[in-house]
């Protein structure tokens, strides 16, 4: 009798362990599906052929406007799923690229990363898609990129939207020590689902956690768990160096388009905070202060604050966030 139910018992015991196995994806996120068809833009950059993956989602009832969504450091085009749906229902065409070095796009062995270069790549993509005017919306590191894009191409930006952007303070000027790219690389090689989840819970979701967030944890962890781990970690290190050494905070006053700031006040993001002197850490990433300071620095900016949300309000509270976003887009256009 034992031999009949023992296999079932072993399977029942092993099932939770199997479910807990970390995901494994290819270096360009092969194996992880986005909610919309993925396009590919091939182009030459820095003497090599590169490609950018992107989503281009057309609304059923177009309002004639386009929103370009620029993802953050630990995000991808696919993480804009709820935002694409909300914007599409409101009539917006939505374009969401994966930047070079991220997710489903090229991860070069050698690349001179700069926000100017990424902005130029994005501009080339929009030209390829026939988009002359758009609202540029950037979240986190994407906020730094959106700012740089707007400074480079002000006449082609109808509106600028910044969602918990980083770069609102110059960490190196404040006293955060510099990490070499090699040091960043060694740090990134240690990335795991556990470390991602711990960081995101405290920063992105203000100490809360929902099972739905695990999808995005597994997306990132799968890249670092896959056959391209070293390539992914190396590009991540190069990108961290770009973020740390290329502040945009000093140029906010030069922005010309109408600007909407959407800020979760429980955010505490600051690049390199873990390496900062202990006495300095509590002073970094104070978004309750940084959001107001940035709104004052940007001419005519509109600030919307979410007292109870963290770094990713569009994921943590999508209905509330998108109601504020759509209201802001309509008001800025008037």
């Amino acid at each position: 009798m034992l031999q009949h139910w023992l296999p079932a018992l072993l399977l029942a015991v092993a099932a939770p362990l199997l479910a807990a196995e970390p995901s494994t994806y290819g270096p360009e996120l092969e194996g992880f599906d986005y909610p919309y068809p993925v396009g590919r833009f091939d182009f030459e950059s820095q003497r090599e052929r590169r490609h950018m993956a992107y989503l281009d989602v057309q609304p059923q009832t177009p309002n004639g406007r386009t929103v370009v969504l620029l993802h953050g450091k630990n995000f991808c085009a696919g993480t804009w799923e709820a935002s694409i749906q909300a914007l599409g229902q409101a009539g917006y065409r939505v374009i969401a690229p994966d930047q070079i070095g991220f997710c489903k796009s090229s991860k070069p062995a050698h690349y001179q990363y700069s926000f100017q270069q990424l902005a130029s790549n994005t501009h080339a993509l929009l030209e390829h898609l026939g988009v002359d005017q758009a609202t540029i919306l950037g979240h986190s590191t994407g906020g730094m990129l959106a700012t740089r894009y707007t400074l480079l191409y002000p006449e082609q930006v109808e509106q600028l939207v910044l969602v918990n952007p980083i770069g609102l303070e110059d960490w190196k000027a404040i006293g955060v020590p510099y990490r070499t790219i090699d040091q960043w690389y060694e740090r990134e090689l240690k990335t795991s689902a556990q470390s991602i989840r711990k960081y995101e819970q405290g920063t992105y979701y203000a100490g809360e956690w929902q099972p739905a967030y695990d999808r995005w944890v597994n997306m990132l962890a799968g890249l670092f768990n896959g056959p391209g781990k070293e390539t992914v970690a190396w590009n991540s290190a190069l990108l961290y160096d770009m973020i740390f050494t290329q502040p945009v905070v000093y140029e906010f006053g030069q922005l010309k388009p109408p600007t909407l700031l959407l800020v979760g006040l429980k955010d505490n993001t600051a690049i390199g905070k873990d390496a900062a002197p202990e006495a300095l850490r509590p002073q970094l990433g104070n978004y309750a202060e940084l959001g107001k300071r940035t709104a004052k620095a940007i001419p005519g900016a509109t600030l919307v604050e979410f007292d109870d949300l963290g770094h990713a309000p569009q994921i943590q509270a999508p209905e509330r966030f998108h109601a504020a976003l759509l209201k802001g887009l309509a008001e800025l256009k008037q």
Side-chain angles (χ1 to χ4, degrees):
M1 190 71 176
L2 178 64
Q3 61 188 18
H4 293 293
W5 58 262
L6 185 55
L9 176 62
L10 291 174
L11 181 60
V13 172
L17 298 176
L18 293 173
E21 282 293 311
S23 302
T24 299
Y25 301 122
E28 293 183 6
L29 205 50
E30 296 93 340
F32 185 92
D33 293 329
Y34 284 178
Y36 300 96
V38 178
R40 173 174 165 139
F41 174 52
D42 293 289
F43 64 109
E44 185 169 318
S45 178
Q46 300 184 18
R47 302 181 64 188
E48 297 286 345
R49 295 297 295 174
R50 320 286 184 191
H51 60 267
M52 290 175 67
Y54 66 91
L55 306 178
D56 184 1
V57 184
Q58 302 280 351
Q60 289 188 348
T61 307
N63 64 10
R65 299 174 63 190
T66 299
V67 178
V68 179
L69 303 178
L70 302 179
H71 62 75
K73 172 65 176 63
N74 294 323
F75 298 80
C76 297
T79 57
W80 286 113
E81 179 175 0
S83 298
I84 293 172
Q85 182 178 14
L87 288 164
Q89 289 174 348
Y92 293 90
R93 177 185 180 182
V94 183
I95 298 170
D98 279 342
Q99 297 298 326
I100 296 296
F102 292 88
C103 309
K104 292 184 178 291
S105 293
S106 297
K107 295 179 178 62
H110 304 285
Y111 202 65
Q112 181 63 48
Y113 278 106
S114 70
F115 285 112
Q116 286 89 340
Q117 178 68 72
L118 298 186
S120 176
N121 297 347
T122 303
H123 188 258
L125 169 65
L126 295 182
E127 283 190 328
H128 171 73
L129 295 175
V131 176
D132 297 321
Q133 295 281 323
T135 292
I136 305 297
L137 188 159
H139 167 243
S140 189
T141 297
M144 296 182 76
L145 175 56
T147 300
R148 181 58 60 202
Y149 187 98
T150 302
L151 290 167
L152 287 174
Y153 309 105
E155 302 305 318
Q156 294 175 272
V157 179
E158 292 181 342
Q159 300 166 300
L160 173 63
V161 182
L162 301 176
V163 180
N164 280 80
I166 64 170
L168 305 185
E169 55 190 345
D170 184 346
W171 306 291
K172 58 183 174 59
I174 296 171
V176 176
Y178 175 74
R179 272 191 177 111
T180 67
I181 293 173
D182 290 318
Q183 288 171 328
W184 277 116
Y185 176 63
E186 291 300 322
R187 179 181 182 271
E188 291 302 280
L189 284 174
K190 300 174 184 176
T191 301
S192 66
Q194 292 76 12
S195 66
I196 294 170
R197 187 178 294 105
K198 180 179 179 181
Y199 175 75
E200 290 190 358
Q201 182 172 13
T203 300
Y204 293 2
Y205 307 116
E208 300 178 355
W209 194 260
Q210 299 291 334
Y213 304 156
D214 278 315
R215 180 184 177 196
W216 309 124
V217 170
N218 292 333
M219 176 189 71
L220 287 179
L223 279 169
F224 285 95
N225 190 51
K229 174 178 181 176
E230 290 78 11
T231 299
V232 171
W234 179 247
N235 276 266
S236 183
L238 294 173
L239 289 160
Y240 269 124
D241 186 76
M242 174 188 73
I243 296 166
F244 189 80
T245 61
Q246 299 179 27
V248 295
V249 63
Y250 304 111
E251 298 169 82
F252 285 144
Q254 300 176 31
L255 291 169
K256 296 179 181 179
T259 300
L260 174 65
L261 275 166
L262 298 165
V263 178
L265 298 187
K266 287 194 173 182
D267 191 0
N268 56 19
T269 303
I271 301 301
K273 181 190 290 189
D274 58 318
E278 190 171 345
L280 179 61
R281 292 176 195 174
Q283 303 173 39
L284 301 171
N286 181 358
Y287 273 76
E289 175 187 333
L290 291 172
K292 294 179 177 64
R293 184 195 305 173
T294 304
K296 290 180 180 179
I298 299 175
T302 300
L303 174 64
V304 177
E305 299 177 318
F306 303 96
D307 293 343
D308 57 333
L309 302 182
H311 185 63
Q314 75 276 21
I315 297 176
Q316 189 180 3
E319 291 186 4
R320 200 152 36 110
F321 171 83
H322 293 119
L325 170 62
L326 293 173
K327 181 175 182 290
L329 291 178
E331 291 176 350
L332 287 177
K333 188 63 177 176
Q334 294 175 357

